[in-house]
Amino acid sequence: MNFKLTALVTTIMVASLNIPANIANAQSGVASIYSTESGSRTASGERLNPGALTAAHRSLPFGSKVLITNRNNGRSVVVTVNDRGPFVRGRIIDVTPAGGRALGFSGLASVTVERE
């Protein structure tokens, strides 16, 4: 089966399951807390605010809202993507210190990320 046909069949199979789009597009992996240097600029041009619920993601559009769930304790928070990253293999999202506190971790955590 060629790639285009495989992709089409996969899309049809997911759509036929009536799975909400955000679940079908969920990512699981490691989250980290990034820079606490307040005032530096993010990739979107905004000033970094360690107290805001924002995040860095490699590919989601700036302004996207994502629900992040800490798989270790079940805590969740909605953040806004305003930066690019993380640039460390194995990590899927960087959150501000405020996001880390809301999720109940400091350092690294196993998370699920779903686009709202």
Side-chain angles (χ1 to χ4, degrees), residues 63-84:
S64 296
K65 303 281 189 192
V66 294
L67 174 68
I68 304 173
T69 303
N70 184 331
R71 294 167 53 136
N72 297 320
N73 63 19
R75 291 171 71 171
S76 296
V77 67
V78 175
V79 300
T80 304
V81 174
N82 72 342
D83 205 359
R84 289 291 172 237

Side-chain angles (χ1 to χ4, degrees), residues 30 32 56-58 84-89 91-94:
V30 176
S32 57
H57 191 275
R58 285 187 196 103
R84 289 291 172 237
F87 299 109
V88 176
R89 176 175 275 175
R91 297 186 192 172
I92 61 170
I93 198 159
D94 283 337

Side-chain angles (χ1 to χ4, degrees), residues 46-67:
E46 296 178 34
R47 289 203 179 274
L48 176 62
N49 178 355
L53 294 175
T54 58
H57 191 275
R58 285 187 196 103
S59 60
L60 289 175
F62 295 137
S64 296
K65 303 281 189 192
V66 294
L67 174 68

Side-chain angles (χ1 to χ4, degrees), residues 30-43:
V30 176
S32 57
I33 296 176
Y34 73 110
S35 180
T36 57
E37 189 175 320
S38 185
S40 60
R41 296 273 180 187
T42 64

